[in-house]
Amino acid sequence: MTATPLPIALDALAGDVGAAPNVEGAIQAARAGVSVTLVGDRTKLHAALASHDITGLPITVEDAPDLIGMDEHASDVRGRKDASINVATRLVKEGRAAAAVSLGHSGATMASALLTLGRLPGVDRPAILTHIPTARGFGAMLDVGANADVKAAYLVQWARLATTYLRVVEDRQSPTVGLLSIGEEDHKGNALVLEAHPLLRAATDLNFHGNIEGRDVMQGTTDIVVTDGFTGNIVLKLAEGEAKVLFGWIREALTSTMQAKLGALLVRGALRGIADRLDPSTYGASILLGVRGLAFIGHGSGDARAVKNALLRAHRAHQAQLLQRLDAELRAAPST
């Protein structure tokens, strides 16, 4: 007898827009074979579902009458056990969900995951790993916002987490690790980089490339980029903002004259493919690595496509037994 697959718990009223993109994305994921539990106010969720035909789809609702808003403090998760993100992470903790996904308050999601699930052994601080489109496909960068001030040892831990993630979920067998700095030379960088470099070099279980510069991130010089969360978040937001501005310039150029408009018809398909690679919704959500459970954090402005892809990514990580592999790799890692 085949066991019923665990659902992905979705914080279904969170985000800038609320229920609509979450419910639509959940339905798309369910049609692709992913079981989903919508977590949030039962009345609002059933009202949102009423306009869709979900007959036969693996979608359930878990009531959570409270919601931590985008303008509230992340620390509010401590005293609000019925908040939807707390209910979602609790479902993971209790073994009733494979992963928690939220496009809501990122700080609250991190706090809830850490408080409810705890840390994996050998991890001092969890980190957010995000996918970055590069000239070679995509790369992984962490931390991108969970930890502004870090210790050098954290970067080694995160490199191990990312290495296992790429091997298990993305089938990259020996991913390279780059340390983000202001120069390729070993002696360049701030105090954190100068301390972290020899630690990463000495970690025999890592394929450490060395220092990389900002331009190397989008070139895909290494599969993994490690940095502190302050720097990583700035790099991520800069890349996203530059992509929007660049496509705005292209749009202006291709609509400036009748001749340009005719040319736009010829390149429309190619440009759509490029836009798709640069669109954050293509990657769905970023994983919080280092907690004892699977938790994914998406953009508050994410659309139904982003929700669907986040749920698919969470499902794939669970199917690949990522959490068990992370635990095993960390326990076997040499001390630093």
Side-chain angles (χ1 to χ4, degrees), residues 10-11 14-16 21-22 70 101-106 109 284-285 296-303 306-307 310:
L10 174 64
D11 191 5
D16 296 341
N22 284 300
M70 301 293 273
V101 173
S102 178
L103 274 68
H105 195 307
S106 58
T109 302
F296 291 79
I297 302 169
H299 282 266
S301 59
D303 56 12
V307 174

Side-chain angles (χ1 to χ4, degrees), residues 48-67:
L49 285 168
S51 59
H52 300 275
D53 181 9
I54 60 170
T55 304
L57 292 180
I59 295 177
T60 57
V61 173
E62 182 78 18
D63 189 38
D66 190 13
L67 174 69

Side-chain angles (χ1 to χ4, degrees), residues 3-328:
T4 303
L6 285 175
I8 308 299
L10 174 64
D11 191 5
L13 294 176
D16 296 341
V17 182
N22 284 300
V23 169
E24 291 171 17
I27 290 171
Q28 292 174 19
R31 286 174 178 156
V34 178
S35 297
V36 183
T37 294
L38 302 175
V39 181
D41 183 278
R42 181 185 291 114
T43 302
K44 293 179 180 178
L45 289 177
H46 281 301
L49 285 168
S51 59
H52 300 275
D53 181 9
I54 60 170
T55 304
L57 292 180
I59 295 177
T60 57
V61 173
E62 182 78 18
D63 189 38
D66 190 13
L67 174 69
I68 295 179
M70 301 293 273
D71 58 344
E72 297 186 86
H73 293 290
S75 58
D76 287 353
V77 298
R78 289 183 177 274
R80 295 165 64 176
K81 67 181 182 66
D82 292 328
S84 53
I85 186 56
N86 281 335
V87 174
T89 55
R90 197 156 60 240
L91 289 175
V92 177
K93 173 77 171 180
E94 296 170 354
R96 297 166 55 198
V101 173
S102 178
L103 274 68
H105 195 307
S106 58
T109 302
M110 288 185 286
S112 179
L114 184 56
L115 289 169
T116 304
L117 303 173
R119 291 175 285 115
L120 286 169
V123 175
D124 290 305
R125 298 279 183 85
I128 301 174
L129 178 148
T130 195
H131 288 96
I132 297 287
T134 74
R136 299 185 180 183
F138 75 88
M141 184 167 68
L142 74 171
D143 181 25
V144 293
N147 307 275
D149 299 302
V150 310
K151 296 179 180 180
Y154 300 171
L155 300 183
V156 182
Q157 295 168 14
W158 298 343
R160 289 192 174 113
L161 291 169
T163 295
T164 301
Y165 173 81
L166 286 185
R167 274 207 313 260
V168 172
V169 180
E170 304 295 349
D171 198 28
R172 294 195 184 180
Q173 293 310 306
S174 185
T176 52
V177 177
L179 175 61
L180 189 60
S181 185
I182 58 172
E184 296 178 357
E185 297 85 355
D186 296 0
H187 63 274
K188 287 190 175 180
N190 58 14
L192 173 66
V193 170
L194 292 175
E195 185 179 354
H197 190 282
L199 295 180
L200 287 162
R201 183 71 70 192
T204 56
D205 57 325
L206 297 175
N207 186 4
F208 183 51
H209 169 87
N211 287 356
I212 62 169
E213 299 181 69
R215 63 190 175 199
D216 293 307
V217 175
M218 303 301 287
Q219 286 293 330
T221 300
T222 59
D223 297 297
I224 298 164
V225 178
V226 289
T227 186
D228 62 273
F230 182 85
T231 304
N233 190 267
I234 290 175
V235 171
L236 177 63
K237 299 294 176 59
L238 175 63
E240 291 175 350
E242 182 64 18
K244 289 182 180 179
V245 171
L246 180 59
F247 266 89
W249 290 342
I250 293 173
R251 190 178 298 110
E252 288 178 10
L254 292 176
T255 57
S256 59
T257 66
M258 182 57 66
Q259 186 177 14
K261 290 178 181 179
L262 291 173
L265 293 175
L266 298 176
V267 300
R268 183 170 54 185
L271 288 176
R272 187 178 294 117
I274 296 173
D276 186 63
R277 288 180 62 184
L278 295 174
D279 187 353
S281 67
T282 300
Y283 305 96
S286 301
I287 186 170
L288 181 64
L289 285 175
V291 292
R292 198 184 293 272
L294 298 177
F296 291 79
I297 302 169
H299 282 266
S301 59
D303 56 12
R305 182 168 177 260
V307 174
K308 179 196 73 173
N309 287 333
L311 293 168
L312 291 175
R313 187 173 298 282
H315 176 72
R316 188 162 76 248
H318 174 66
Q319 291 294 103
Q321 297 186 313
L322 174 63
L323 189 64
Q324 294 86 338
R325 292 287 298 277
L326 288 170
D327 192 13

